Amino acid sequence: AQKITQTQPGMFVQEKEAVTLDCTYDTSDQSYGLFWYKQPSSGEMIFLIYQGSYDEQNATEGRYSLNFQKARKSANLVISASQLGDSAMYFCAMREGRGYQKVTFGTGTKLQVIP
Amino acid sequence: DVKVTQSSRYLVKRTGEKVFLECVQDMDHENMFWYRQDPGLGLRLIYFSYDVKMKEKGDIPEGYSVSREKKERFSLILESASTNQTSMYLCASSTDRAMNTEAFFGQGTRLTVV
């Protein structure tokens, strides 16, 4: 079974609009962490935002926020006021495990921002 | 500045060759990971290591092995390269000391097996 599911292979958003990228996860651990990364065409992996399983507040970092719904096992990324530089692949990832920790990724969503 | 360095950016090898991909981190991280990235499949975990000489299989370990003799270095070995191992390989490291910190990535090695 997929640990991380991203159902949107590609998305378009108008510049200055907000966009939500979906992510659902599957784990039986009580303690885990959820991450979002951005990968522009240059190939580097850029960390965007983190949400811990015990965090009660949704994480925010500038224009990025994470809509964490624990009961539904979803961790959607919201990008507000999209910019042309936001065009990239976006990956959701989960860290889980006791003793040692494994990090698994989803298949990614390609976001294209339209001027 | 934190750093994960992969030994090669591009590599071309012949079918059947033994291939070594090297990764070094300077952050004293406990955990190190090898992923391969293919279009439409995202990043798939090959192997990871949580300590020197310790390793765990990821989701797609077949055809690969790893070595971690020193904390800062994690090597991925293709025992007999095949064309279906043509891919982008990404190394990452992370710490156990702070649960909310991310994994840091190298720049990637694009391996072509001909």
Side-chain angles (χ1 to χ4, degrees):
Chain A
Q2 288 285 348
K3 287 280 188 176
I4 296 283
T5 302
Q6 294 180 253
T7 56
Q8 306 153 313
M11 292 217 24
F12 290 92
V13 64
Q14 204 77 39
E15 196 177 3
K16 299 178 186 174
E17 297 290 312
V19 63
T20 298
L21 306 184
D22 295 341
C23 173
T24 57
Y25 60 92
D26 181 27
T27 181
S28 56
D29 286 359
Q30 295 301 308
S31 177
Y32 52 89
L34 298 156
F35 302 83
W36 277 92
Y37 285 82
K38 172 183 177 181
Q39 187 182 47
S41 56
S42 58
E44 61 189 305
M45 293 288 283
I46 301 167
F47 165 71
L48 296 177
I49 196 165
Y50 167 85
Q51 179 85 41
S53 58
Y54 294 118
D55 295 342
E56 294 184 355
Q57 305 262 6
N58 285 342
T60 59
E61 289 286 348
R63 293 186 299 111
Y64 304 108
S65 60
L66 200 152
N67 184 0
F68 182 46
Q69 298 188 40
K70 195 169 181 176
R72 298 179 62 184
K73 293 192 173 177
S74 75
N76 299 339
L77 177 71
V78 181
I79 305 174
S80 62
S82 297
Q83 301 172 356
L84 295 178
D86 293 335
S87 294
M89 283 291 291
Y90 288 82
F91 292 98
C92 180
M94 176 172 64
R95 186 190 62 226
E96 60 175 339
R98 298 188 198 93
Y100 54 83
Q101 304 220 317
K102 174 176 162 177
V103 181
T104 52
F105 283 76
T107 52
T109 296
K110 184 170 184 177
L111 178 68
Q112 294 185 69
V113 181
I114 306 164
Chain B
D1 202 17
V2 297
K3 222 168 185 179
V4 178
T5 304
Q6 294 181 229
S7 52
S8 305
R9 193 73 195 263
Y10 299 94
L11 215 49
V12 180
K13 295 292 181 181
R14 294 195 179 279
T15 303
E17 273 192 81
K18 189 168 185 175
V19 181
F20 293 86
L21 302 183
E22 307 285 348
C23 176
V24 176
Q25 51 98 0
D26 65 0
M27 296 165 281
D28 199 35
H29 283 172
E30 298 81 10
N31 307 316
M32 295 188 75
F33 307 85
W34 276 107
Y35 298 89
R36 64 176 281 177
Q37 182 178 5
D38 301 286
L41 298 177
L43 278 71
R44 293 180 291 166
L45 182 63
I46 304 171
Y47 267 97
F48 66 104
S49 168
Y50 53 93
D51 201 351
V52 176
K53 297 192 189 295
M54 306 306 287
K55 62 186 178 185
E56 288 288 328
K57 291 180 181 179
D59 301 314
I60 52 162
E62 297 79 18
Y64 302 95
S65 61
V66 290
S67 171
R68 193 165 179 201
E69 296 296 319
K70 293 185 178 181
K71 192 175 184 180
E72 67 270 19
R73 186 180 295 270
F74 192 35
S75 303
L76 180 69
I77 303 157
L78 286 66
E79 296 289 343
S80 177
S82 64
T83 54
N84 63 13
Q85 292 178 310
T86 291
S87 186
M88 171 68 86
Y89 290 87
L90 292 167
C91 174
S93 72
S94 71
T95 183
D96 282 339
R97 294 187 291 273
M99 301 304 287
N100 63 345
T101 54
E102 71 274 26
F104 292 85
F105 281 83
Q107 77 276 30
T109 296
R110 186 164 292 283
L111 172 68
T112 303
V113 183
V114 298

